[in-house]
Amino acid sequence: MPMEHAPDITAKPTAADARIMVEIRHMNKWYGEFQVLKDINLSVRSGERIVICGPSGSGKSTLIRCINRLEEHQEGDIIVDGVPLTEDVKNIDQIRSEVGMCFQQFNLFPHLTVMENCLLAPMSVRKTPRPEAKRLAQHYLEKVRIPDQADKYPSQLSGGQQQRVAIARALCMQPRIMLFDEPTSALDPEMIGEVLDTMAELAADGMTMICVTHEMGFARKVADRVVFMDQGQIVEEGNPDAFFSAAQNERTRKFLQQVLQN
Amino acid sequence: MTFDYMAIWDNRDILSQGLLTTLIIAGTAIPVGVAIGVLVCMLRISKNRLLRWPAIAYIEIIRNIPLLILLFMMFFALPFFGVRLSGLTTGFICLSIYGGAYFAEVFRGGVEAVSKGQFDAAKALGLKYGFYMRRVIFPQLYGYVFPPATNIALTLIKETSLLSMIAVSELTYAAHDINGRTFTPVETFATIALIYWGISILFLKLTSGLQSRIEVGHISRPITIR
């Protein structure tokens, strides 16, 4: 499995006394009549790495998309780094500038170079002067090991490279929290490793991360907590050791059986 | 019959004056129509009903009325409400709002063709709506909207001939004028048909040159923010 290349993360910071970065309380969401999220309660502390897994259609992506308001929730509270997520555009803007996100389809801007992709948000949202934004971008592109492709267009890069650029682009905003929405699901198998390695390094730096992924090797090695969702509910959560060896819930065990077989 | 070139040559001043008027009207109504199109498109895709509904009404009304009727209403009916506009002004306004409705729909189609993920990424980065529409979404839809928008512009160029009906002395009106005095319908109308054809071909050459320069992914414009 790809995780063999990942740096060993032995020193997990104790999250017990860190402050709460994301707090979700009794959150419900409907698409019309259909309830996609049911009474979600989740709190994520600073520096914690959460992996959310579950069968498709269980609401995992919808859940993390609610955290930066790409989706609206109808009931309950979401508080991100002390800022409550409401209709207030100022709050939404503030939260989005503190929360980075990577998508399954990378979603790089195809008409802009790698460098311009990385400059757009810091320059327009943070008002970072161009030279400084460029230094920042160069730093993060080096971090994701794409230093020499800055002037290329996304279409000239491989899928794995594109996803790493997308990670760098998000990091250029220097977010406090990173959301990953199935970042490796659209990748060829041989490119999954490089993206997971990048994510593992980010985790090692102490980034607060919430990842929706089916990569159980990544979950086992990097996550502080694994959250299992089914039919819009959080069915079970626990540290990876307990989760993988002694899942309490029948649905969880069934899911794990299926994904671990592969 | 013989082809009477002299009837055309003797009236070349009227024809060139008409051509100039046609070019002025088309040359102003198309850019203004595009501007209206962008504006109405933005309203049309808004989530706010108070913005969206007027845009839908505008598009549906204008698209479903013949341009000629629009011209007649503004030129002959509006004076009853105390608004008196010259034929040229009427023609310019009508063509602009007529084109605007079509441009708006083409632009909307383009915006909808840009993948939803691009909006997600722009929002997730914290970019403001106006900024990401301008810098992320619109540059990507040139490729989608350019061919249909060119078609609309071409139609507008040719529809300027309808302005002859409200006594704007553009090309078609000039032809009528010449024909009325010389009775050379074959020569006159063949000539202006050729002129319209020439304008259209030139216009298409111009736009295809422009299009190949702004194909998606090859806009080599450095970022400048405000």
Side-chain angles (χ1 to χ4, degrees), chain A residues 65 96 108-109 111 130, chain B residues 117-118 120 123 135 223:
Chain A
R65 288 168 61 86
R96 282 179 179 167
L108 292 175
F109 305 136
H111 59 299
R130 190 184 175 87
Chain B
Q118 294 289 310
D120 285 346
K123 287 183 208 164
R135 298 302 305 278
I223 294 193

Side-chain angles (χ1 to χ4, degrees), chain B residues 14 17-19 21-22 88 163-164 167-174:
Chain B
I14 299 178
Q17 197 57 49
L19 173 62
T21 307
T22 292
L88 201 66
L163 304 198
S164 62
V168 176
S169 53
E170 43 66 71
L171 202 51
T172 305
Y173 188 89

Side-chain angles (χ1 to χ4, degrees), chain A residues 52-63:
Chain A
I52 303 176
C53 62
S56 63
S58 57
K60 337 178 271 295
S61 288
T62 311
L63 171 58

Side-chain angles (χ1 to χ4, degrees), chain A residues 62-82:
Chain A
T62 311
L63 171 58
I64 68 164
R65 288 168 61 86
C66 282
I67 295 172
N68 62 352
R69 228 342 131 100
L70 293 184
E71 305 272 355
E72 256 171 69
H73 65 286
Q74 279 87 34
E75 279 178 9
D77 302 311
I78 301 178
I79 300 153
V80 182
D81 200 13

Side-chain angles (χ1 to χ4, degrees), chain A residues 65 68 70 93 96 99 101 103 107-111 116 119-121 123-125 127 130 153 169-170 173, chain B residues 116-118 120-128 131 135-136 139-140 217-223 225-226:
Chain A
R65 288 168 61 86
N68 62 352
L70 293 184
D93 283 344
R96 282 179 179 167
V99 178
M101 187 166 194
F103 302 88
N107 297 343
L108 292 175
F109 305 136
H111 59 299
E116 288 168 335
L119 293 180
L120 208 56
M123 285 175 69
S124 84
V125 180
K127 311 290 177 207
R130 190 184 175 87
Y153 285 93
R169 176 176 72 175
M173 283 294 284
Chain B
K116 217 181 140 286
Q118 294 289 310
D120 285 346
K123 287 183 208 164
L125 283 169
L127 303 178
K128 300 270 194 297
F131 181 82
R135 298 302 305 278
V136 176
Q140 291 187 53
H218 297 282
I219 303 169
S220 50
R221 197 161 50 102
I223 294 193
I225 288 162
R226 290 191 308 167

Side-chain angles (χ1 to χ4, degrees), chain A residues 21 23 67 78-86 88 90-95 98:
Chain A
M21 293 300 281
E23 173 91 74
I67 295 172
I78 301 178
I79 300 153
V80 182
D81 200 13
V83 181
L85 196 51
T86 57
D88 193 337
K90 252 171 73 182
N91 287 11
I92 296 174
D93 283 344
Q94 193 185 340
I95 288 171
E98 301 299 338

Side-chain angles (χ1 to χ4, degrees), chain A residues 112-153:
Chain A
L112 300 177
T113 62
V114 164
M115 178 54 83
E116 288 168 335
N117 264 279
C118 293
L119 293 180
L120 208 56
M123 285 175 69
S124 84
V125 180
R126 294 248 192 265
K127 311 290 177 207
T128 311
R130 190 184 175 87
E132 200 187 321
K134 242 180 143 165
R135 270 198 299 278
L136 204 65
Q138 199 59 42
H139 169 76
Y140 285 115
L141 286 172
E142 272 163 35
K143 201 171 163 62
V144 301
R145 303 211 181 83
I146 313 213
D148 306 321
Q149 323 268 5
D151 295 324
K152 287 193 177 167
Y153 285 93

